[in-house]
Amino acid sequence: MANEYDDVLRREIVTTRVFDAPRAMVFEAWTDPEQLKVWWGPRGFSNTFHEFEMKPGGTWRFTMHGPNGTNYENECRIVEITPPERIVIEHVSPPKFRLTAIFDELGTKTKLTFRQLFESPEVYGQIKRLAGQGNEDNLDRLANFLAELKTKKC
């Protein structure tokens, strides 16, 4: 008989990255829509934000524009925001998942743990191959954005 832990393992993608930037800077890149729309999404994607309320109960609606011209409509609800430590977002449009971003301070660096818990093992199975690489692309874009931001501030 499977326990709750086993169930989560069959529905969750976890990506971890250490950024050469202070936690406050990384957290702000997630909570400031002008910064977020620059780096959010896999390589080659761009974004149009329609609504962005970074507060519990707030809505984040946006269109991701794929490199092949396909538009992907997204709607999210902000569940929790604990500056500068944690953000929890429900992706309410398909595919449905809960995104938890945890920001750990490592001196002048930041460790980000990016967890996506999908609504079912079936949805996870359909998405995992694309989402795994997409998450890596997303965090690569964030790393590049933060490096550019640090260069501008120096």
Side-chain angles (χ1 to χ4, degrees):
M1 184 167 155
N3 62 30
E4 185 177 332
Y5 179 74
D6 291 334
D7 179 58
V8 168
L9 288 177
R10 295 180 318 156
R11 299 186 297 130
E12 186 174 50
I13 297 171
V14 180
T15 309
T16 303
R17 181 78 61 94
V18 174
F19 297 98
D20 187 17
R23 180 165 69 166
M25 180 183 281
V26 178
F27 193 84
E28 185 178 3
W30 276 71
T31 57
D32 174 8
E34 294 305 312
Q35 293 183 50
L36 185 61
K37 70 181 175 185
V38 172
W39 65 265
W40 185 259
R43 184 180 1 263
F45 281 73
S46 62
N47 299 288
T48 301
F49 284 16
H50 310 293
E51 187 175 357
F52 187 82
E53 301 171 291
M54 187 52 76
K55 63 181 183 179
T59 300
W60 175 24
R61 285 187 322 100
F62 63 102
T63 304
M64 290 181 73
H65 309 287
N68 65 358
T70 302
N71 290 325
Y72 301 90
E73 300 301 327
N74 290 268
E75 184 170 344
C76 302
R77 185 176 52 82
I78 309 307
V79 176
E80 176 188 338
I81 181 164
T82 306
E85 300 167 2
R86 179 179 164 101
I87 299 171
V88 180
I89 300 169
E90 285 288 332
H91 193 271
V92 297
S93 54
K96 294 181 180 181
F97 60 88
R98 176 172 281 215
L99 169 62
T100 302
I102 301 168
F103 305 81
D104 291 314
E105 190 171 45
L106 302 175
T108 60
K109 297 182 180 189
T110 304
K111 176 183 173 188
L112 172 66
T113 304
F114 186 98
R115 306 179 80 96
Q116 283 178 288
L117 182 62
F118 291 88
E119 68 178 335
S120 70
E122 294 76 25
V123 172
Y124 166 82
Q126 295 166 4
I127 299 297
K128 70 179 179 179
R129 186 177 55 81
L130 295 173
Q133 184 57 54
N135 291 350
E136 292 294 338
D137 288 353
N138 204 10
L139 298 184
D140 288 347
R141 291 181 69 190
L142 175 56
N144 292 336
F145 175 80
L146 292 168
E148 289 175 21
L149 195 59
K150 283 180 69 176
T151 300
K152 289 178 186 176
K153 290 187 175 192
C154 290

